[in-house]
Amino acid sequence: MKSLNEIPTPNLVWRRSTSTPPDFELLGNAGAYATLTFLEETGILAKVRTSEGSWTLKHLGVLAPVVTLRAEGEKTNLATFHPHALRHGKLQFEDGAVFDWTWNHGSETGGTFMDPGGTPLVRLHAHPGKDLNTAPGLEECDVDLNLGSFARRRHALLAAFGWYLILFDHLKERDAVAAETALRL
């Protein structure tokens, strides 16, 4: 796996792999930079791998949800994401670093992590699957990196965290539609 600390291009893509359970790979011209794997069907727990290490992401709570980031096998959080009422949120690292998450407006699926001054660091724009033989869902996501930012060492984690938020949100919407359809029947 390649390190995003040395990437020469700001444009990457998350793409679904052919493995089971479905993995996603963050790909560029030079190969894979990260992977995201859901460890259960509900999407609550996921594993992220980069050249710098392995982490877990976990969605907790319903009325006051948070998403935690931990080094794999550890019991303490490295970062916690707190969504606001309007779905935007803050990702706060234990070392004091803070990143703002904003969802795209309109029909575009995706979002952006920004520094506290509002400078975009990692932008994600998801695309629905095009293969009629696969289950409906998000199959890939364009990722644009701000290579001049101070947070460059965290680009892989921010890209993975944002992709997890997008996928989890999509799973919740799909489950809500399925529940509503079942109630109507």
Side-chain angles (χ1 to χ4, degrees), residues 38 55 64 67 75 125:
F38 284 102
W55 296 271
V67 179
K75 296 183 191 256
H125 177 75

Side-chain angles (χ1 to χ4, degrees), residues 35 38 40 65 68 87 89 108 119 141 152 160 164 166 168 178 185:
T35 61
F38 284 102
E40 53 186 37
T68 61
R87 296 179 52 220
E108 290 187 19
T119 301
C141 179
R152 189 168 177 175
Y164 173 82
I166 292 167
F168 189 81
L185 295 175

Side-chain angles (χ1 to χ4, degrees), residues 11 51 65 182:
N11 303 315
S51 65

Side-chain angles (χ1 to χ4, degrees), residues 69-92:
L69 170 72
R70 293 181 177 180
E72 187 175 29
E74 296 295 321
K75 296 183 191 256
T76 58
N77 296 335
L78 291 175
T80 306
F81 176 76
H82 299 275
H84 302 153
L86 299 175
R87 296 179 52 220
H88 303 306
K90 285 200 180 297
L91 178 59
Q92 299 175 316

